[in-house]
Amino acid sequence: MANVSHTRGDIASHPDVSEMQARYARMLGGRDVALVDGPVFLLGLYCAVSPWILHYTTSQPALVPHNLIVGIAIGLLALGFTRAPERMYGLSWAMSALGVWMIVSPWIVGSSPDTGVILNNVIIGGLAVLLGLVCAGTAAKSTPKP
Protein backbone atom coordinates (compact mmCIF):
# COMPACT_ATOMS: atom_id res chain seq x y z
CA MET A 1 0.00 0.00 0.00
CA ALA A 2 1.37 3.39 -1.00
CA ASN A 3 1.66 6.30 1.40
CA VAL A 4 -0.48 9.03 -0.17
CA SER A 5 -0.67 11.33 2.85
CA HIS A 6 0.70 14.82 2.47
CA THR A 7 3.97 15.35 4.28
CA ARG A 8 4.86 18.83 5.36
CA GLY A 9 8.30 20.13 4.64
CA ASP A 10 10.38 22.05 7.11
CA ILE A 11 9.97 25.81 6.76
CA ALA A 12 13.68 26.27 7.42
CA SER A 13 14.29 25.47 3.76
CA HIS A 14 11.98 28.27 2.57
CA PRO A 15 13.92 30.96 0.68
CA ASP A 16 12.31 33.83 2.61
CA VAL A 17 12.51 32.30 6.09
CA SER A 18 14.71 35.03 7.58
CA GLU A 19 12.46 37.79 6.27
CA MET A 20 9.34 35.99 7.57
CA GLN A 21 10.90 35.50 11.00
CA ALA A 22 11.95 39.15 11.21
CA ARG A 23 8.48 40.32 10.16
CA TYR A 24 6.80 38.00 12.67
CA ALA A 25 9.07 39.17 15.50
CA ARG A 26 8.51 42.82 14.53
CA MET A 27 4.74 42.34 14.37
CA LEU A 28 4.43 40.67 17.75
CA GLY A 29 6.96 42.85 19.50
CA GLY A 30 8.25 39.97 21.60
CA ARG A 31 6.33 38.20 24.36
CA ASP A 32 4.93 41.49 25.72
CA VAL A 33 1.93 41.24 23.40
CA ALA A 34 0.44 38.22 25.11
CA LEU A 35 1.06 39.73 28.53
CA VAL A 36 -0.89 42.89 27.69
CA ASP A 37 -3.87 41.60 25.68
CA GLY A 38 -5.31 39.36 28.39
CA PRO A 39 -5.46 42.01 31.12
CA VAL A 40 -6.93 44.53 28.65
CA PHE A 41 -9.71 42.10 27.74
CA LEU A 42 -10.41 41.29 31.40
CA LEU A 43 -10.52 45.00 32.22
CA GLY A 44 -13.06 45.58 29.45
CA LEU A 45 -15.13 42.64 30.64
CA TYR A 46 -15.12 43.89 34.23
CA CYS A 47 -15.96 47.43 33.13
CA ALA A 48 -18.95 46.14 31.16
CA VAL A 49 -20.41 44.15 34.07
CA SER A 50 -19.32 46.38 36.97
CA PRO A 51 -22.72 48.09 37.41
CA TRP A 52 -24.27 44.71 38.19
CA ILE A 53 -21.37 43.53 40.33
CA LEU A 54 -21.40 46.67 42.49
CA HIS A 55 -25.21 47.01 42.34
CA TYR A 56 -25.47 50.62 41.27
CA THR A 57 -27.95 49.99 38.47
CA THR A 58 -30.72 51.81 40.38
CA SER A 59 -28.68 54.58 42.03
CA GLN A 60 -26.75 55.53 38.85
CA PRO A 61 -28.89 54.42 35.87
CA ALA A 62 -27.01 56.66 33.41
CA LEU A 63 -23.69 54.98 34.21
CA VAL A 64 -25.02 51.48 33.48
CA PRO A 65 -25.12 51.73 29.65
CA HIS A 66 -22.06 54.00 29.77
CA ASN A 67 -19.90 51.40 31.54
CA LEU A 68 -21.34 48.64 29.35
CA ILE A 69 -20.45 50.47 26.14
CA VAL A 70 -16.99 51.56 27.30
CA GLY A 71 -16.28 48.02 28.59
CA ILE A 72 -17.27 46.52 25.25
CA ALA A 73 -15.05 49.07 23.47
CA ILE A 74 -12.07 48.15 25.65
CA GLY A 75 -12.76 44.44 25.10
CA LEU A 76 -12.95 44.97 21.34
CA LEU A 77 -9.64 46.83 21.41
CA ALA A 78 -8.10 43.87 23.24
CA LEU A 79 -9.45 41.45 20.64
CA GLY A 80 -8.07 43.69 17.91
CA PHE A 81 -4.68 43.76 19.64
CA THR A 82 -4.72 39.96 19.61
CA ARG A 83 -5.98 39.44 16.04
CA ALA A 84 -4.06 42.19 14.22
CA PRO A 85 -1.40 43.64 16.52
CA GLU A 86 0.54 45.36 13.76
CA ARG A 87 -2.51 47.42 12.77
CA MET A 88 -4.22 47.82 16.12
CA TYR A 89 -1.42 48.94 18.42
CA GLY A 90 -1.71 52.38 16.88
CA LEU A 91 -5.05 52.57 18.69
CA SER A 92 -3.47 51.99 22.09
CA TRP A 93 -3.70 55.73 22.67
CA ALA A 94 -7.47 55.40 22.23
CA MET A 95 -7.50 53.02 25.18
CA SER A 96 -5.63 55.59 27.26
CA ALA A 97 -8.21 58.18 26.22
CA LEU A 98 -11.01 55.78 27.26
CA GLY A 99 -9.26 55.43 30.61
CA VAL A 100 -9.17 59.19 31.13
CA TRP A 101 -12.85 59.34 30.19
CA MET A 102 -13.67 56.59 32.70
CA ILE A 103 -11.94 58.60 35.44
CA VAL A 104 -14.05 61.73 34.85
CA SER A 105 -17.29 60.03 33.77
CA PRO A 106 -18.90 59.56 37.22
CA TRP A 107 -19.22 63.34 37.56
CA ILE A 108 -20.16 64.01 33.92
CA VAL A 109 -22.50 61.10 33.15
CA GLY A 110 -23.64 60.20 36.67
CA SER A 111 -25.59 62.27 39.16
CA SER A 112 -24.19 62.63 42.69
CA PRO A 113 -22.09 59.44 42.54
CA ASP A 114 -21.18 57.74 45.78
CA THR A 115 -17.67 56.70 46.79
CA GLY A 116 -17.99 53.13 45.48
CA VAL A 117 -18.98 54.25 41.99
CA ILE A 118 -16.21 56.85 41.91
CA LEU A 119 -13.56 54.38 43.08
CA ASN A 120 -14.75 51.75 40.61
CA ASN A 121 -14.53 54.05 37.61
CA VAL A 122 -11.27 55.71 38.73
CA ILE A 123 -9.59 52.31 39.19
CA ILE A 124 -10.89 51.05 35.84
CA GLY A 125 -9.79 54.30 34.18
CA GLY A 126 -6.36 54.25 35.81
CA LEU A 127 -5.77 50.66 34.73
CA ALA A 128 -6.95 51.48 31.20
CA VAL A 129 -4.53 54.43 31.00
CA LEU A 130 -1.69 52.28 32.33
CA LEU A 131 -2.40 49.37 29.99
CA GLY A 132 -2.84 51.80 27.08
CA LEU A 133 0.61 53.22 27.77
CA VAL A 134 2.06 49.70 27.96
CA CYS A 135 0.42 48.89 24.62
CA ALA A 136 1.81 52.12 23.16
CA GLY A 137 5.27 51.18 24.42
CA THR A 138 4.92 47.75 22.85
CA ALA A 139 3.84 49.35 19.58
CA ALA A 140 6.78 51.75 19.63
CA LYS A 141 9.17 48.89 20.30
CA SER A 142 7.77 46.76 17.48
CA THR A 143 7.79 49.45 14.77
CA PRO A 144 10.62 49.02 12.30
CA LYS A 145 13.56 51.37 12.67
CA PRO A 146 14.62 53.26 9.52
Side-chain angles (χ1 to χ4, degrees):
M1 182 175 233
N3 183 7
V4 292
S5 63
H6 178 69
T7 58
R8 294 183 181 188
D10 187 16
I11 192 127
S13 63
H14 193 280
D16 295 328
V17 71
S18 61
E19 179 185 337
M20 289 188 304
Q21 287 174 338
R23 190 170 115 207
Y24 183 74
R26 186 177 65 244
M27 180 181 76
L28 290 181
R31 296 188 49 84
D32 297 341
V33 173
L35 296 174
V36 174
D37 297 345
V40 171
F41 182 76
L42 290 175
L43 180 69
L45 182 65
Y46 174 75
C47 180
V49 299
S50 65
W52 292 277
I53 291 174
L54 298 178
H55 303 292
Y56 62 84
T57 55
T58 55
S59 66
Q60 295 294 322
L63 281 174
V64 173
H66 170 269
N67 280 21
L68 180 66
I69 291 169
V70 172
I72 290 171
I74 292 172
L76 288 175
L77 280 173
L79 291 175
F81 294 157
T82 302
R83 293 282 300 161
E86 192 170 48
R87 289 186 240 155
M88 290 294 293
Y89 271 116
L91 290 175
S92 57
W93 295 107
M95 193 170 67
S96 294
L98 283 173
V100 170
W101 172 249
M102 281 299 292
I103 291 172
V104 299
S105 67
W107 296 281
I108 296 173
V109 177
S111 57
S112 301
D114 61 354
T115 306
V117 173
I118 292 171
L119 281 176
N120 179 60
N121 280 19
V122 167
I123 290 171
I124 290 172
L127 287 172
V129 168
L130 179 70
L131 289 171
L133 293 174
V134 169
C135 289
T138 303
K141 187 174 75 172
S142 65
T143 56
K145 307 290 187 257

